[in-house]
Amino acid sequence: MTEYVLLPSGVRAIDARLLSAGILDLTMETAGRAVADYLELHFKAELDGARPVLLLAGSGANGGDALVAARHLHALGRAVEVLASPSKHPPTRLNRRRLNACGVGVRLLSPTNLKRALDRAGVVVDGLLGTGFTPPLRPGVAELVKLVNASGLNVLSIDLPSGLDAASAELPEAVIYAHHTLTLGGSKPALIFGPAAHAAGVVTVASLRIPQAWIAGAAVAHRPSDAEIAALLPVRYADTHKGTAGRVWVLGGHPGTVGAAALAGLGALRAGAGLVTIYSEADVPLVTPELMAHKVVLSELDAKPKPGAVAVGMGLGPGAEAAARMVLGWRIPTVIDADALQPGLAGAGHPQVIWTPHPGEAARLLGTESSTITREPLSAARALQEHFGGVVVLKGGPSTVASDQGLFVARGGHPGMAKAGLGDTLSGVLAALLGQGLSAHDAANVGVRLHARAGELAGEVHGYGLIASDVSAQLGAAWLALKETGK
């Protein structure tokens, strides 16, 4: 099932529909029960101990979720202690009365009471702040956050760790560092993109049992499942041959940076392209005998019969913009990467083009700072697609795909992939998928996940210090692994 990504505005839109339908309170009941069930599943050792679950309830809806969770835990025979802030939120006030009626007392959430409760607790549930919060924390709440972090106890945050801005990848100075986060209805940018995501621990999305169309309509982005990606993988039949499996050109390499083109070519081969030819104005090393490499003047390619797909820019150097402009004029499936990513090409994209900037290149293309790109990668990817046309893959951990069909956030990857050459490999993978007949939108979504899955598998073999050829070598295994998820 597709996972949705929600901004605070999207959460507000869903809440408005729930209120209009008269089921906002029922949804809080579902959320709170999900928190209790999660604790039973993942914190059984702590719950079986003598120490109570400490639930911290803020004044908003997150606080209400915590109160519902406390009632369900109490009904299951678990020891609970609840500290809550005064609230004017009607469903939260209602669930406080319900909790009291079940015989569970609630004490005021204050630094003094929290210090004492932390000494007694076995695990903490953070229901202080939700998606409506914008940093910075008020001093009093910041003191509560500091006490929780200093306790050394395991923390489960409801929806997102208190102190985070749900819409931003920035990590505020004061934020709860959760071991687990149970986010509600859909993920949030702060739980996906670093460094904010570093505070979230293990993130799980809880279903709110409301119409999926309501969540989809309010979502800013989608996260395709591996099964959805598997369904898009090209199918190769028994009568397929090298000429029908995709002819790919790689235009790249310059004295001192010839390896980039070679790595792109290797990625294209390993992603299934039938014939891969590297054209460069420098001597490109033959990293595998299955690659073909030719030293040419790139402008001469304008007169040659064209391939099924082309990747341009990897290590290409000063002539990259001119080469990219030439290739874009061919109107064939194209990947624009690295040196070919130039502001002067704005508006030159067409439906079969994939642009693949990393944050530094994206900042150059949009005339801004890298920090702006990394703070709000979804907005940056959308802006790039609007400026340049076609499809954009904003590379990162994770990568974001922007197309006319919306925004899509990739899954997976491995920290060891933060290494030179991995972007060149991805360009080759994308070109191979284009050459095998996928649309630019599908090739982008399949390519980033296939590349990330190969990185995961390479990480299992090599550990932390991956190199690009390690990842290329795992593309076939990654393909098979994704296929298995689609069965």
Side-chain angles (χ1 to χ4, degrees):
M1 181 182 293
T2 298
E3 177 185 312
Y4 298 100
V5 182
L6 299 169
L7 292 173
S9 57
V11 174
R12 289 194 296 272
I14 294 170
D15 284 349
R17 296 195 73 164
L18 293 170
L19 181 62
S20 177
I23 57 175
L24 182 59
D25 174 48
L26 295 178
T27 305
M28 182 175 284
E29 181 72 18
T30 301
R33 180 170 181 168
V35 173
D37 290 345
Y38 191 91
L39 285 161
E40 285 287 333
L41 182 62
H42 296 281
F43 292 86
K44 191 174 187 308
E46 290 89 340
L47 268 62
D48 286 343
R51 293 172 172 267
V53 179
L54 174 59
L55 298 105
L56 308 180
S59 60
N62 260 41
D65 298 337
L67 295 169
V68 174
R71 174 162 46 82
H72 280 278
L73 289 168
H74 176 67
L76 291 169
R78 301 303 189 181
V80 298
E81 185 168 1
V82 183
L83 301 180
S85 298
S87 175
K88 296 180 180 179
H89 187 256
T92 299
R93 290 168 63 90
L94 173 62
N95 279 294
R96 180 164 178 166
R97 293 195 297 272
R98 288 171 173 167
L99 184 61
N100 288 332
C102 290
V104 178
V106 178
R107 294 190 300 129
L108 178 66
L109 178 58
S110 68
T112 300
N113 286 342
L114 179 57
K115 286 178 186 177
R116 294 170 180 165
L118 287 169
D119 288 339
R120 296 187 291 267
V123 63
V124 179
V125 176
D126 162 31
L128 294 176
L129 298 166
T131 57
F133 170 73
T134 302
L137 291 171
R138 298 192 309 274
V141 182
E143 186 177 357
L144 299 175
V145 166
K146 184 177 180 180
L147 288 169
V148 171
N149 287 337
S151 71
L153 295 171
N154 282 333
V155 178
L156 169 64
S157 285
I158 301 174
D159 216 11
L160 77 165
S162 294
L164 287 181
D165 179 345
S168 174
E170 281 192 324
L171 182 63
E173 184 176 348
V175 60
I176 281 183
Y177 284 84
H179 299 82
H180 292 249
T181 297
L182 186 66
T183 193
L184 306 173
S187 197
K188 317 299 182 294
L191 304 178
I192 299 172
F193 300 101
H198 302 171
V202 178
V203 178
T204 303
V205 179
S207 171
L208 292 178
R209 304 295 176 85
I210 63 176
Q212 285 295 293
W214 294 7
I215 298 177
V220 67
H222 298 175
R223 300 196 80 185
S225 67
D226 280 356
E228 290 173 302
I229 294 298
L232 299 174
L233 286 167
V235 176
R236 185 161 293 183
Y237 298 101
D239 62 344
T240 302
H241 57 81
K242 63 184 180 183
T244 59
R247 297 173 182 264
V248 171
W249 286 1
V250 173
L251 278 57
H254 186 74
T257 56
V258 291
L263 290 170
L266 184 59
L269 278 178
R270 288 295 188 181
L275 289 162
V276 180
T277 306
I278 299 173
Y279 289 103
S280 178
E281 295 186 350
D283 291 312
V284 175
L286 196 63
V287 295
T288 180
E290 293 86 356
L291 277 174
M292 295 172 283
H294 300 280
K295 185 177 180 180
V296 298
V297 176
L298 293 181
S299 60
E300 296 175 357
L301 299 175
D302 214 15
K304 290 176 65 70
K306 303 304 182 288
V310 59
V312 57
M314 296 68 61
L316 192 50
E321 182 172 349
R325 196 175 296 279
M326 174 184 71
V327 170
L328 288 167
W330 298 344
R331 309 293 290 185
I332 66 173
T334 300
V335 179
I336 306 289
D337 187 27
D339 295 331
L341 293 164
Q342 296 297 330
L345 298 176
H350 55 76
Q352 299 181 89
V353 174
I354 303 175
W355 311 80
T356 62
H358 59 57
E361 293 162 340
R364 184 179 73 242
L365 293 174
L366 292 176
T368 187
E369 301 295 325
S370 295
S371 59
T372 302
I373 305 298
T374 55
R375 182 170 59 250
E376 295 188 9
L378 295 176
S379 298
R382 182 189 287 116
L384 286 163
Q385 196 272 333
E386 290 172 351
H387 278 76
F388 288 83
V391 175
V392 169
V393 172
L394 177 56
K395 293 182 287 196
S399 296
T400 300
V401 174
S403 75
D404 288 339
Q405 297 181 45
L407 292 170
F408 301 81
V409 181
R411 296 177 183 273
H414 188 277
M417 296 175 76
K419 188 73 64 69
L422 267 298
D424 305 313
T425 302
L426 175 62
S427 292
V429 170
L430 295 171
L433 294 168
L434 290 171
Q436 291 170 81
L438 268 63
S439 68
H441 170 83
D442 288 348
N445 278 294
V446 171
V448 292
R449 179 58 185 132
L450 181 64
H451 184 250
R453 188 72 183 98
E456 293 165 10
L457 294 173
E460 293 175 7
V461 176
H462 300 283
Y464 188 73
L466 304 181
I467 59 175
S469 56
D470 295 333
V471 175
S472 291
Q474 294 294 334
L475 284 167
W479 192 294
L480 291 173
L482 289 172
K483 274 293 187 185
E484 284 297 313
T485 66
K487 290 184 177 178

